[in-house]
Amino acid sequence: MLDHVKFARRYRMLEALKDTPITLVTDRNVENLAGNVRVEAPRSAKDLMALMGRSKVVVCPSSHALGFHEYPFMAFTMGATVISAPNGPLEGAFSNGTDILFFRDAHSLRASVNQALQHPEIGLRGREKALSQFLPARLVEVIFNSPAVQA
């Protein structure tokens, strides 16, 4: 789980996944985490991609609803199933339940993790779509045409 989530929302998400082994990558001081959580400091993009490559699921909890976020594309590239908070560019390019999973609250996050673990083909389809439709030139286009960048 890549942590760009604050306070109570972080704890609700981790509580929902307390029976699942989680590696939380964060630069925040976190205490009293529920469940089986290993906390790691931020790392280089290369090391982060290696961690994603060893993961079955990558949760991207920050919505960035108005802009592009690179972590899901890194995870797609490494073949992990991506579970994301609602995100405009991702929702426009990927299909929930087919090649990505979206969640809106802790309950739907838990359901999405279960679905991802039972259906690893979601991650494979996400990887195929990301690699075929988001070549480097297309990624630049998506990034620079996102509402957050144009503001």
Side-chain angles (χ1 to χ4, degrees), residues 93 133-143 145:
Q133 293 187 9
F134 290 90
L135 300 170
R138 174 75 174 118
L139 284 175
V140 170
E141 178 185 331
V142 169
I143 291 168
N145 287 325

Side-chain angles (χ1 to χ4, degrees), residues 72-83 90 93-95 97-101 119-134:
F73 287 93
M74 291 169 69
F76 281 131
T77 300
M78 300 310 296
T81 298
V82 173
I83 300 175
L90 291 176
F94 294 87
S95 299
T98 301
D99 43 34
I100 192 171
L101 295 165
H119 298 282
E121 67 275 9
I122 294 171
L124 297 174
R125 287 192 297 260
R127 183 177 195 277
E128 289 172 11
K129 183 175 265 188
L131 292 176
S132 67
Q133 293 187 9
F134 290 90

Side-chain angles (χ1 to χ4, degrees), residues 49-120:
M49 288 182 75
L51 177 62
M52 290 177 179
R54 295 188 304 272
S55 301
K56 293 177 184 175
V57 176
V58 173
V59 178
C60 300
S62 188
S63 68
H64 295 273
L66 297 178
F68 177 83
H69 197 276
E70 70 277 7
Y71 291 140
F73 287 93
M74 291 169 69
F76 281 131
T77 300
M78 300 310 296
T81 298
V82 173
I83 300 175
S84 177
N87 175 294
L90 291 176
E91 289 175 295
F94 294 87
S95 299
N96 189 34
T98 301
D99 43 34
I100 192 171
L101 295 165
F102 292 105
F103 74 95
R104 298 196 178 282
D105 56 29
H107 177 74
S108 63
L109 173 60
R110 175 77 249 169
S112 292
V113 168
N114 288 339
Q115 185 176 0
L117 294 175
Q118 292 173 7
H119 298 282

